[in-house]
PDB file of all heavy atoms in Angstrom:
ATOM      1  N   TRP A 295      -7.388 -16.462 -11.828  1.00 91.00           N
ATOM      2  CA  TRP A 295      -7.862 -15.291 -11.072  1.00 91.00           C
ATOM      3  C   TRP A 295      -8.443 -14.263 -12.041  1.00 91.00           C
ATOM      4  O   TRP A 295      -9.517 -13.721 -11.823  1.00 91.00           O
ATOM      5  CB  TRP A 295      -6.714 -14.660 -10.272  1.00 91.00           C
ATOM      6  CG  TRP A 295      -7.200 -13.564  -9.367  1.00 91.00           C
ATOM      7  CD1 TRP A 295      -7.547 -13.671  -8.053  1.00 91.00           C
ATOM      8  CD2 TRP A 295      -7.431 -12.174  -9.740  1.00 91.00           C
ATOM      9  NE1 TRP A 295      -7.981 -12.454  -7.581  1.00 91.00           N
ATOM     10  CE2 TRP A 295      -7.924 -11.522  -8.588  1.00 91.00           C
ATOM     11  CE3 TRP A 295      -7.274 -11.440 -10.907  1.00 91.00           C
ATOM     12  CZ2 TRP A 295      -8.257 -10.157  -8.574  1.00 91.00           C
ATOM     13  CZ3 TRP A 295      -7.621 -10.094 -10.901  1.00 91.00           C
ATOM     14  CH2 TRP A 295      -8.100  -9.471  -9.737  1.00 91.00           C
ATOM     15  N   LEU A 296      -7.713 -14.009 -13.126  1.00 87.00           N
ATOM     16  CA  LEU A 296      -8.132 -12.987 -14.088  1.00 87.00           C
ATOM     17  C   LEU A 296      -9.485 -13.353 -14.722  1.00 87.00           C
ATOM     18  O   LEU A 296     -10.372 -12.509 -14.846  1.00 87.00           O
ATOM     19  CB  LEU A 296      -7.056 -12.842 -15.172  1.00 87.00           C
ATOM     20  CG  LEU A 296      -7.181 -11.655 -16.096  1.00 87.00           C
ATOM     21  CD1 LEU A 296      -7.181 -10.343 -15.323  1.00 87.00           C
ATOM     22  CD2 LEU A 296      -6.056 -11.646 -17.113  1.00 87.00           C
ATOM     23  N   LYS A 297      -9.633 -14.632 -15.041  1.00 87.00           N
ATOM     24  CA  LYS A 297     -10.881 -15.111 -15.649  1.00 87.00           C
ATOM     25  C   LYS A 297     -12.046 -14.929 -14.669  1.00 87.00           C
ATOM     26  O   LYS A 297     -13.120 -14.458 -15.037  1.00 87.00           O
ATOM     27  CB  LYS A 297     -10.712 -16.600 -15.986  1.00 87.00           C
ATOM     28  CG  LYS A 297     -11.452 -17.018 -17.212  1.00 87.00           C
ATOM     29  CD  LYS A 297     -11.059 -18.421 -17.590  1.00 87.00           C
ATOM     30  CE  LYS A 297     -12.225 -19.081 -18.309  1.00 87.00           C
ATOM     31  NZ  LYS A 297     -11.999 -20.489 -18.550  1.00 87.00           N
ATOM     32  N   THR A 298     -11.810 -15.275 -13.411  1.00 92.00           N
ATOM     33  CA  THR A 298     -12.859 -15.150 -12.386  1.00 92.00           C
ATOM     34  C   THR A 298     -13.203 -13.682 -12.164  1.00 92.00           C
ATOM     35  O   THR A 298     -14.372 -13.326 -12.043  1.00 92.00           O
ATOM     36  CB  THR A 298     -12.380 -15.768 -11.044  1.00 92.00           C
ATOM     37  OG1 THR A 298     -11.775 -17.017 -11.322  1.00 92.00           O
ATOM     38  CG2 THR A 298     -13.519 -15.968 -10.077  1.00 92.00           C
ATOM     39  N   PHE A 299     -12.182 -12.853 -12.103  1.00 92.00           N
ATOM     40  CA  PHE A 299     -12.374 -11.404 -11.912  1.00 92.00           C
ATOM     41  C   PHE A 299     -13.228 -10.823 -13.040  1.00 92.00           C
ATOM     42  O   PHE A 299     -14.208 -10.121 -12.803  1.00 92.00           O
ATOM     43  CB  PHE A 299     -10.983 -10.741 -11.863  1.00 92.00           C
ATOM     44  CG  PHE A 299     -10.975  -9.250 -12.021  1.00 92.00           C
ATOM     45  CD1 PHE A 299     -11.349  -8.421 -10.973  1.00 92.00           C
ATOM     46  CD2 PHE A 299     -10.576  -8.661 -13.219  1.00 92.00           C
ATOM     47  CE1 PHE A 299     -11.331  -7.027 -11.115  1.00 92.00           C
ATOM     48  CE2 PHE A 299     -10.557  -7.271 -13.371  1.00 92.00           C
ATOM     49  CZ  PHE A 299     -10.942  -6.463 -12.310  1.00 92.00           C
ATOM     50  N   LEU A 300     -12.881 -11.149 -14.286  1.00 89.00           N
ATOM     51  CA  LEU A 300     -13.612 -10.601 -15.433  1.00 89.00           C
ATOM     52  C   LEU A 300     -15.046 -11.130 -15.473  1.00 89.00           C
ATOM     53  O   LEU A 300     -15.984 -10.380 -15.745  1.00 89.00           O
ATOM     54  CB  LEU A 300     -12.886 -10.949 -16.745  1.00 89.00           C
ATOM     55  CG  LEU A 300     -11.516 -10.288 -16.947  1.00 89.00           C
ATOM     56  CD1 LEU A 300     -10.811 -10.866 -18.159  1.00 89.00           C
ATOM     57  CD2 LEU A 300     -11.646  -8.776 -17.101  1.00 89.00           C
ATOM     58  N   ALA A 301     -15.212 -12.409 -15.131  1.00 90.00           N
ATOM     59  CA  ALA A 301     -16.557 -12.991 -15.144  1.00 90.00           C
ATOM     60  C   ALA A 301     -17.402 -12.397 -14.022  1.00 90.00           C
ATOM     61  O   ALA A 301     -18.563 -12.047 -14.227  1.00 90.00           O
ATOM     62  CB  ALA A 301     -16.466 -14.507 -14.990  1.00 90.00           C
ATOM     63  N   HIS A 302     -16.806 -12.243 -12.845  1.00 93.00           N
ATOM     64  CA  HIS A 302     -17.555 -11.717 -11.698  1.00 93.00           C
ATOM     65  C   HIS A 302     -18.106 -10.327 -11.989  1.00 93.00           C
ATOM     66  O   HIS A 302     -19.228  -9.991 -11.619  1.00 93.00           O
ATOM     67  CB  HIS A 302     -16.674 -11.673 -10.450  1.00 93.00           C
ATOM     68  CG  HIS A 302     -17.396 -11.117  -9.264  1.00 93.00           C
ATOM     69  ND1 HIS A 302     -18.191 -11.903  -8.461  1.00 93.00           N
ATOM     70  CD2 HIS A 302     -17.501  -9.851  -8.782  1.00 93.00           C
ATOM     71  CE1 HIS A 302     -18.746 -11.142  -7.525  1.00 93.00           C
ATOM     72  NE2 HIS A 302     -18.335  -9.898  -7.695  1.00 93.00           N
ATOM     73  N   TRP A 303     -17.311  -9.500 -12.655  1.00 92.00           N
ATOM     74  CA  TRP A 303     -17.741  -8.130 -12.922  1.00 92.00           C
ATOM     75  C   TRP A 303     -18.304  -7.972 -14.343  1.00 92.00           C
ATOM     76  O   TRP A 303     -18.396  -6.850 -14.856  1.00 92.00           O
ATOM     77  CB  TRP A 303     -16.568  -7.156 -12.697  1.00 92.00           C
ATOM     78  CG  TRP A 303     -16.125  -7.133 -11.259  1.00 92.00           C
ATOM     79  CD1 TRP A 303     -15.017  -7.722 -10.734  1.00 92.00           C
ATOM     80  CD2 TRP A 303     -16.800  -6.508 -10.152  1.00 92.00           C
ATOM     81  NE1 TRP A 303     -14.954  -7.506  -9.379  1.00 92.00           N
ATOM     82  CE2 TRP A 303     -16.035  -6.757  -8.993  1.00 92.00           C
ATOM     83  CE3 TRP A 303     -17.977  -5.759 -10.031  1.00 92.00           C
ATOM     84  CZ2 TRP A 303     -16.410  -6.291  -7.726  1.00 92.00           C
ATOM     85  CZ3 TRP A 303     -18.354  -5.297  -8.773  1.00 92.00           C
ATOM     86  CH2 TRP A 303     -17.580  -5.562  -7.634  1.00 92.00           C
TER      87      TRP A 303
END
Side-chain angles (χ1 to χ4, degrees):
W295 187 94
L296 192 58
K297 213 171 151 188
T298 315
F299 165 76
L300 293 171
H302 179 85
W303 295 104

